[in-house]
Amino acid sequence: MKVCKFGGTSMADAGQISKVMDIVLADPARRMVVVSAPGKRNKGDTKVTDLLIALAEAALAKKDTTKPLKAVIDRYAAIAEGLDLGNEIVAEIRKDLKDRLASSKKDEGVFMDTMKAAGEDNSAKITAVAFRKRGVKCRYANPGDTGMILEGESGNATLVEESYRKLARTFADFEGIVVYPGFFGHRKDGTVATFPRGGSDITGSILAAALRADVYENFTDVDNVYPVDPRIVPEVDEGIDTMTYREMRELAYAGFGVFNDEAIAPAVQGRIPINVRNTNRPSEPGTMIVQSRRVMPGTVTGIACANGFANIIIDKFLMNRKIGFTRRVLDILEEEGVAYEHIPSGIDSISVLIKEAGVPLAKEKKVVARIKRELQPDSVLVTHDYGIVMVVGEGMAFSAGMLAKATGALAEHGINISMVNQGASEISFMLGIKSEDCISAVRALYNAFFNHHRQ
Ligand code: ADP
Ligand code: ASP
Ligand code: MG
């Protein structure tokens, strides 16, 4: 049995949903179909999720919701018309949206997630109707009724472990095709919660693990995972055939938007191979993401960059002799509820990288003040607009000269490296640079490691 997930561009309009159905029906093993909300139909278009966020914001601000509500309904009405599904499903979606709009706004986060979830929920309902119209045995499944239990922050929820058992029990022996909405689940108190953006990948991975699928097929709008983001290096032409889970995890974390980084863990836990494929070119084999693969020593698999970090650099002479110094820094972060991303260290210094978006400036100032007061360092300096570039590859382990090649390529382009961090696994290294240098850094590194024609 295969779990297939179709992303926003695959669900964007009637033509794309027809392709989705063709793909599913081409292989009888494709029985669990996870869908996103309709995405962009063209460059200037808006994703339904973003339309729903605008709608929820208007409702919270007590503004007139007629126009933003119509914008959402129009997307589904166009799909229903294009697939000749009749008006009943559109009326059902209109009622669903109005009910959600009328729901409690006491907890704004819960209200926002309830609205966001409508994108995938109605996408799944309309797709199930479209399958049935083709004479296929198919039903829509609701996450709340089938055991997708989440917890935690609105918009950033995580799975409750017992969900795996519940989902496995629900789908132990199901018939026909099930269309399952991605991106959201329910808390134990019944409230709706969503994963972070791009979270339909996570739903697919959870279901693949719970149902012990043979493969998790993740259909999107590119033939492969490429060694660099094709939006940064448009000339990248050779995709990756096979990569490991940990390579994907590191690259997804550092900016490969093609697969949500949190979607790796469930597949790893269930040892389910992931196959990233193109809805528009289903004959392409795509990229396999697996536990292990044969590697060529001295090769890089991918290069990614992420920005929006702040770097807190703490210096203290003889820090290496101050037992517990790092722990006390981490205690302060924990007490202030600040998550850190990395803590590269030197002999007399440590850096704490945090995501700027998650930490308000006032909180950052408080952390710095506490470090100064409680740890008496020689200096504490905060650099903003900080970016990281990750160079990742199983083939890098035990290979000399990889870091030298990378730093050389950046030096050639006048890009200053302010931090180097290599994990103990040696399958990646991270370079700290200014945010504004991220794109040129990826290009320079791509030319150094992949673009052999140039040399
Ligand atoms: P979906 O809506 O199907 O989930 P996404 O937009 O989330 O699709 O992800 C697909 C996009 O990811 C591609 O169109 C591409 O622009 C982008 N992307 C970023 N990095 C990579 C990469 N390394 N390889 C392929 N695509 C990438
Ligand atoms: N629709 C959601 C988003 O736009 C989730 C997803 O597509 O994966 O983020
Ligand atoms: Mg995505």
Side-chain angles (χ1 to χ4, degrees), residues 2 23 38 51 129 134 146 181 242 248 261 277 348 374 423:
K2 296 177 178 175
I23 290 169
L51 294 176
V129 172
R134 283 205 188 181
T146 52
T242 309
M248 190 66 209
D261 66 323
R277 310 185 61 154
D348 289 329
E374 294 170 32

Side-chain angles (χ1 to χ4, degrees), residues 222-266:
V222 280
D223 286 351
N224 289 95
V225 177
Y226 290 97
V228 280
D229 185 337
R231 291 166 300 185
I232 300 178
V233 183
E235 68 271 23
V236 60
D237 50 3
E238 219 172 300
I240 301 169
D241 295 338
T242 309
M243 63 198 297
T244 63
Y245 293 129
R246 40 181 208 165
E247 286 175 328
M248 190 66 209
R249 156 81 181 132
E250 300 216 8
L251 289 163
Y253 170 80
F256 271 21
V258 62
F259 195 76
N260 187 292
D261 66 323
E262 290 183 33
I264 302 282

